[in-house]
Amino acid sequence: MAIVGGSAELNTGAQIPIIGLGTASMNTNEEDIKAAVIAALQVGYRHFDTARVYGSEHALGKALNSAFQSGLVSREDVFVTTKLRNTEHDDPVAAIKDSLINLQLEYVDLFLIHWPIKLRTEIPLTPLKEEDFLPLDIKSTWQGMEQCMEMGLTKAIGVSNFSCKKIEDLLKHAKIPPAVDQVEMHPHWHQKKLRDYCSKHNIHVSAWSPLGAPNTPWGSNAVMDNPLFQEIAQKHEKTRAQVMLRWGLEQGVSVLPKSYNAGRIAENFQVFDWSLTSDDHDKISKLEQKKIQQGELFVNSTTSPYKTLEELWDGEI
Ligand SMILES: NC(=O)c1ccc[n+]([C@@H]2O[C@H](COP(=O)([O-])OP(=O)(O)OC[C@H]3O[C@@H](n4cnc5c(N)ncnc54)[C@H](OP(=O)(O)O)[C@@H]3O)[C@@H](O)[C@H]2O)c1
């Protein structure tokens, strides 16, 4: 089945649909997530982004399973990404097997190391203590990720929140190179250096928080509220969110907007039959750059492998 809206080719040869529905939310109500997934499938989404830590795998699995049963889509039509928790670096195979039970799937399409950080315990959005950090051995974590792929539990493996340097270090000992780096990217955080690096190494970039994550505890309304997007949106008779998503697509990345609102889910998918002008790109290219989620919680001067934010992002901040 053709992917509505288009796809990009991964270094495995598989296609990744360039719009995916994000599922990180304070709202983990199963019925709301299921309704959002079904609404997304109905308007053409074929890519779903989840993670162990979001608490959305189970509801996503239920929704997909009911869509397979009803014939709305088949397993081969959808692309499902999930991620290794920071507490699961010792055994990626056991972790993905748990995810597959939650998702009611035999394989995922993409399995990512969520962060370059290894923790003993983690409760989302609560501060970490010094004793929560464990020494990171990314080589052994990656071997476990490779094993997941060799066992057919995932079709591709990749990373998330990795700088160019961290990918470069990984490539030195990877048997299977990462297919994807999923990172924060929106018009206020262009990720130009990382995109150039990934393009040279045939690694696809996916944009998380492509709208700047308005109205979330981890995001900001600053991107959405920038008057430039209202101006560009009015000119094209589109919405601000559509302008931001279209901008991401025109940079050659896939975008993962999260919404559990049927109207906004449909709105975010209407980004294929029009384009931004070079004047729009010029204005967006001049916007002040500021990473919203800097990952301060992963930095400390004693037990974290990263004593400073500079070290966490290898200066790319
Ligand atoms: N790998 C990582 O470390 C990482 C980190 C963060 C996120 N992610 C992934 O990326 C996905 C997206 O990122 P995100 O959830 O942080 O941020 P986002 O997609 O940029 O923004 C989500 C917020 O925007 C609202 N929204 C959605 N469409 C809208 C529209 N058309 N107009 C106005 N508001 C709209 C949503 O509310 P409603 O639901 O009410 O519409 C929600 O509050 C996540 O869900 C997750 O799957 C990955």
Side-chain angles (χ1 to χ4, degrees), residues 20-25 27 45 48-51 53-54 56 81 83 112-115 159-161 182-186 206-216 218-221 224 239-242 244-245 255-268 293 298:
L21 185 77
T23 65
S25 177
N27 175 5
Y45 289 71
F48 297 88
D49 184 74
T50 183
V53 77
Y54 301 163
S56 58
T81 301
K83 312 184 191 94
L112 304 176
I113 298 180
H114 205 148
W115 283 88
V159 294
S160 177
N161 302 303
Q182 188 188 112
V183 292
E184 178 180 335
M185 180 178 155
H186 43 71
S206 275
W208 60 255
S209 295
L211 306 174
N215 306 316
T216 70
W218 58 89
S220 158
N221 286 26
M224 191 63 97
T239 67
R240 294 171 296 172
Q242 287 168 334
M244 287 177 223
L245 296 173
V255 292
L256 305 168
K258 175 266 166 185
S259 180
Y260 288 169
N261 172 283
R264 290 190 283 278
I265 288 170
E267 173 189 328
N268 294 345
Q293 235 204 85
F298 296 136

Side-chain angles (χ1 to χ4, degrees), residues 11 142 157-159 167 170-171 174 176-180 201-204:
N11 60 17
W142 192 251
I157 49 177
V159 294
I167 298 178
L170 182 63
L171 286 173
I176 304 173
V180 170
H201 290 84
N202 200 13
I203 297 169
H204 176 81

